[in-house]
Amino acid sequence: MPLQKTLLALDALDSAYVNGESVKQLFVQYPQVSVEVLTVQGEKGSTDFVKIIIPGTNGKLSGGQAPTMGIVGRLGGIGARPTRIGLVSDADGAVAAVAAGLKLADMQTKGDSLKGDVIVTTHICPDAPTLPHEPVDFMDSPVDILQMNEHEVLPEMEAILSIDTTKGNRVINHKGIAISPTVKEGYILRVSDDLLRIMEMTTGQLPVTFPITTQDITPYGNDLYHINSILQPAVATHAPVVGVAVTAQSAVPGCGTGASHEVDIASAVRLVVETAKEFTNGTCSFYNVEEYNLITRLYGSMKVLQTPGIQAAPSA
């Protein structure tokens, strides 16, 4: 069950010694699942990127046609040692992504394989730096956003759910999970009806969405305010991206400890697993293709928002 996998992932990641190989060991009992670990050095330290592939019965990896689902656990770091002791709030994205991979892998051994391939990516850093941010401090990352997208946003992914702790703000006043509108190539599209339906089904409650701004879907590093990095995968792909936020009623700093709520993370896991089932089966759309084609005919490309933009010329 998703909660059991969430607890397993939480227990494994809540350690000063955890690394990418620790995550890989969680999957050794699933021979059909492949796990790759790559250590990347940045200006502020290093982190281990993890790529987990759960092959489908009719997925592209085996020459089939079923679409490929991408699940990205987005975060700065799972710990801020030595400044903070223990797992930080920002770790929820990684925990949820690993737990979703474990759930899908376990399903496969019990005869419940998905039609399409699922690729899960995240990174593991137990000693990341922190970053001043309003209204509360964020976790920083040892690598920059370009490196993160390079290793976590893969061209094989035909739709992406980006899971991220989104508690350090005052625009979401709900404890649990919330989803964003779909973002595709610079456009903020309407919220997917299929994802709302799946969210209602998996939570047993009315769906909760959160607002995003144009600034949020531009790349980090352009000096604009971003709610957090939850939509940063959208700057590196033509695939539709939806943010799955693990949320709180109050503003919680990303570097806060004792702030990860197992049931909320498991709720995110349940949502992404059910979405993966339906997307790879062709019964879930992230956006309306005809409406997207119309808006691009009417207003043109918005891909400029996937770039750093026009830099101001230096003064003479």
Side-chain angles (χ1 to χ4, degrees):
M1 65 179 68
L3 181 58
Q4 190 268 339
K5 301 305 179 193
T6 298
L7 295 174
L8 179 60
L10 262 174
D11 192 50
L13 268 55
D14 191 5
S15 167
Y17 306 116
V18 69
N19 55 27
E21 288 298 327
S22 308
V23 173
K24 188 174 184 176
Q25 287 303 308
L26 296 175
F27 290 86
V28 294
Q29 61 182 307
Y30 306 115
Q32 295 187 60
V33 175
S34 67
V35 182
E36 298 176 15
V37 178
L38 178 66
T39 302
V40 174
Q41 186 71 39
E43 293 183 356
K44 303 171 186 174
S46 66
T47 190
D48 286 354
F49 284 97
V50 179
K51 179 170 73 172
I52 305 159
I53 300 177
I54 304 101
T57 56
N58 188 37
K60 303 286 174 58
L61 285 171
S62 58
Q65 296 299 316
T68 301
M69 180 81 210
I71 299 171
V72 177
R74 183 46 61 102
L75 69 156
I78 62 171
R81 300 174 180 86
T83 308
R84 300 292 184 113
I85 299 173
L87 196 79
V88 296
S89 171
D90 202 39
D92 291 1
V95 173
V98 172
L102 287 167
K103 173 60 180 171
L104 290 165
D106 192 52
M107 287 166 52
Q108 200 170 59
T109 65
K110 296 174 178 174
D112 283 334
S113 295
L114 274 57
K115 284 188 176 179
D117 306 322
V118 179
I119 304 175
V120 180
T121 57
T122 191
H123 72 101
I124 305 298
C125 178
D127 51 7
T130 59
L131 181 70
H133 186 272
E134 291 296 333
V136 292
D137 287 349
F138 272 3
M139 286 297 297
D140 200 355
S141 174
V143 297
D144 62 36
I145 203 69
L146 293 178
Q147 290 173 297
M148 209 175 287
N149 280 342
E150 177 186 351
H151 297 290
E152 293 182 346
V153 183
L154 306 179
E156 299 93 327
M157 297 173 171
E158 295 174 70
I160 295 173
L161 290 177
S162 171
I163 317 168
D164 198 350
T165 312
T166 311
K167 302 175 181 176
N169 62 81
R170 293 194 177 94
V171 298
I172 307 174
N173 302 311
H174 163 79
K175 182 178 178 299
I177 61 171
I179 62 172
S180 75
T182 299
V183 177
K184 178 173 167 55
E185 295 179 294
Y187 274 104
I188 300 174
L189 305 174
R190 63 184 171 123
V191 180
S192 162
D193 283 336
D194 284 332
L195 291 179
L196 291 174
R197 169 179 57 78
I198 294 170
M199 192 174 188
E200 287 178 326
M201 177 178 70
T202 57
T203 63
Q205 296 178 322
L206 293 174
V208 179
T209 63
F210 65 94
I212 56 174
T213 66
T214 303
Q215 293 95 315
D216 294 325
I217 65 169
T218 62
Y220 266 23
N222 60 3
D223 295 331
L224 292 174
Y225 180 91
H226 297 75
I227 187 170
N228 66 358
S229 64
I230 191 168
L231 271 311
Q232 288 299 295
V235 306
T237 179
H238 65 273
V241 177
V242 170
V244 178
V246 182
T247 61
Q249 278 190 315
S250 58
V252 178
C255 56
T257 54
S260 293
H261 296 259
E262 299 84 351
V263 173
D264 296 340
I265 300 172
S267 186
V269 173
R270 199 173 288 110
L271 173 68
V272 300
V273 167
E274 295 304 317
T275 301
K277 288 181 190 177
E278 293 214 22
F279 179 76
T280 60
N281 192 41
T283 57
C284 170
S285 298
F286 277 46
Y287 70 105
N288 183 302
V289 175
E290 292 182 0
E291 194 169 73
Y292 179 75
N293 290 338
L294 176 59
I295 198 172
T296 54
R297 282 201 304 273
L298 291 172
Y299 299 101
S301 170
M302 297 297 284
K303 291 182 181 178
V304 64
L305 294 175
Q306 293 179 292
T307 74
I310 301 170
Q311 302 298 309
S315 56

